[in-house]
Amino acid sequence: MKILVTGSNGLVGSYVVQQLLEAGHTVFASSRTEDRSAFKAPNYRFVQMDFTDPYALDAAFEAIQPEVVVHSGAQSKPDDCEKDQAEAYRVNTVGTVQLLLNAAACRSFFIFLSTDFIFNGKEGMHGEQDPADPVNYYGRTKLEAEEAVQEYAHGWAVVRTVFVYGKPLHGRDCFVTMISKKLRDREPYKVVDDQERTPTYAGDLAKGIAAIIEKRAPGIFHLCGEDVLSPYRMAMKVAEYMGIADHLLEPVTTASLHAVAKRPLKSGLDVSRAKQLLGYRPLSFQEGLQRTLGG
């Protein structure tokens, strides 16, 4: 099967590409920047492409004719989205709409990567049908993109996920590997302790997306971990795993950080639907930690 993956240089995109290559699909990885991967599989292709450029998209879709599109590219930093709302809307919302238009011409099955930040975080453990109420601009752009995807006529799935981590296949650190370096260097660091999340191992997320493709499963799916942890508790588990007790990590409140973008405080997701329909079985955070930091 020919599958186009956007955002392939990112953590999520790289794990999705790896999973789909292993499943035997022909994968066209794409990113705005040059290929950072070391993938050598014969079924791997790379297309340098800005998905917000309609001319580049027209050329790519005409050449590839993808049967499936996995759209994981995004402006995903909430503070950056809040500071430059026009750019966030252009990338996250308009870019998705443009991809949908091109995908429709090929009748591609469309999978959109979304976020727990479409919810306000007052209750936590949100189900797929819970009402959305984003508290920051990043969440608003992703919600509007979701709404556009749900109008798509040729088969779609929306995948919401939470706080993804994993050993970087290429590119920058994730939260877990960043914390491990600060622990090794005995660097002081403030970590939020009043936000509840359900952190997601990137390999689990990629397997869930592969299952959606295999089953052509439509609709909204929550794919994340099941352990409810604050970022500080995650950091403490990293310290415990590394055997470092004399760390300089400090628990702080969300309010004390004065972030540009507001964060939901209870933003975990319920994965019951994915477990039932996709056979989704996420690792525990401890298991994911071992795969991220182990040998």
Side-chain angles (χ1 to χ4, degrees), residues 4-294:
L4 173 64
V5 179
T6 68
S8 65
N9 279 335
L11 180 65
V12 172
S14 63
Y15 270 78
V16 169
V17 169
Q18 182 182 63
Q19 179 70 35
L20 296 177
L21 288 173
E22 291 175 358
H25 299 292
T26 299
V27 180
F28 292 82
S30 74
S31 182
R32 182 172 50 83
T33 53
E34 63 185 18
D35 192 6
R36 296 179 190 154
S37 79
F39 295 128
K40 302 298 183 186
N43 51 332
Y44 176 71
R45 311 283 189 277
F46 180 80
V47 181
Q48 188 168 347
M49 177 187 72
D50 181 348
F51 64 77
T52 66
D53 179 349
Y55 297 104
L57 280 184
D58 285 346
F61 272 80
E62 187 171 339
I64 297 168
Q65 297 287 310
E67 296 161 80
V68 177
V69 175
V70 180
H71 180 30
S72 70
Q75 169 55 278
S76 58
K77 295 181 178 179
D79 289 347
D80 289 350
C81 290
E82 211 71 31
K83 287 185 282 190
D84 192 345
Q85 296 187 2
E87 177 67 3
Y89 187 79
R90 185 183 76 85
V91 174
N92 292 347
T93 308
V94 177
T96 302
V97 170
Q98 186 63 54
L99 273 163
L100 287 164
L101 291 172
N102 285 93
C106 298
R107 305 178 70 89
S108 311
F109 186 79
F110 196 96
I111 301 175
F112 175 65
L113 267 291
S114 191
T115 172
D116 56 318
F117 274 27
I118 68 153
F119 297 112
N120 61 27
K122 292 180 180 178
E123 301 296 331
M125 300 311 292
H126 298 285
E128 283 84 353
Q129 301 309 314
D130 286 355
D133 181 26
V135 298
N136 58 40
Y137 198 74
Y138 167 62
R140 284 175 57 191
T141 63
K142 296 296 276 189
L143 178 59
E144 288 194 30
E146 279 194 20
E147 291 168 349
V149 172
Q150 291 176 52
E151 297 295 321
Y152 182 69
H154 303 291
W156 59 267
V158 168
V159 173
R160 298 178 185 142
T161 193
V162 187
F163 209 101
V164 182
Y165 69 94
K167 181 181 295 185
L169 301 182
H170 46 267
R172 63 176 184 263
D173 283 318
C174 70
F175 174 80
V176 167
T177 55
M178 178 270 290
I179 289 293
S180 71
K181 290 178 180 177
K182 293 187 181 299
L183 287 164
R184 278 198 302 269
D185 296 340
R186 286 191 50 77
E187 182 181 337
Y189 193 68
K190 295 179 179 180
V191 191
V192 169
D193 196 29
D194 63 347
Q195 293 179 21
E196 292 181 0
R197 315 296 294 275
T198 44
T200 311
Y201 177 61
D204 288 336
L205 177 56
K207 287 179 181 177
I209 290 168
I212 290 172
I213 292 171
E214 289 163 14
K215 297 174 183 289
R216 275 293 204 280
I220 302 172
F221 293 94
H222 288 176
L223 300 181
C224 62
E226 293 187 284
D227 294 326
V228 180
L229 297 165
S230 72
Y232 180 72
R233 283 306 310 155
M234 294 178 221
M236 288 301 92
K237 287 185 176 292
V238 175
E240 291 164 14
Y241 177 81
M242 296 176 68
I244 297 175
D246 58 340
H247 59 79
L248 298 177
L249 303 180
E250 177 188 352
V252 295
T253 64
T254 300
S256 71
L257 292 179
H258 304 291
V260 176
K262 187 177 180 181
R263 264 68 167 178
L265 295 183
K266 294 184 178 181
S267 61
L269 300 178
D270 183 339
V271 297
S272 300
R273 183 171 189 266
K275 291 173 77 171
Q276 179 183 357
L277 298 181
L278 303 176
Y280 182 69
R281 296 293 182 269
L283 299 177
S284 68
F285 184 73
Q286 192 64 32
E287 291 170 317
L289 204 56
Q290 291 167 359
R291 297 201 185 186
T292 302
L293 298 179

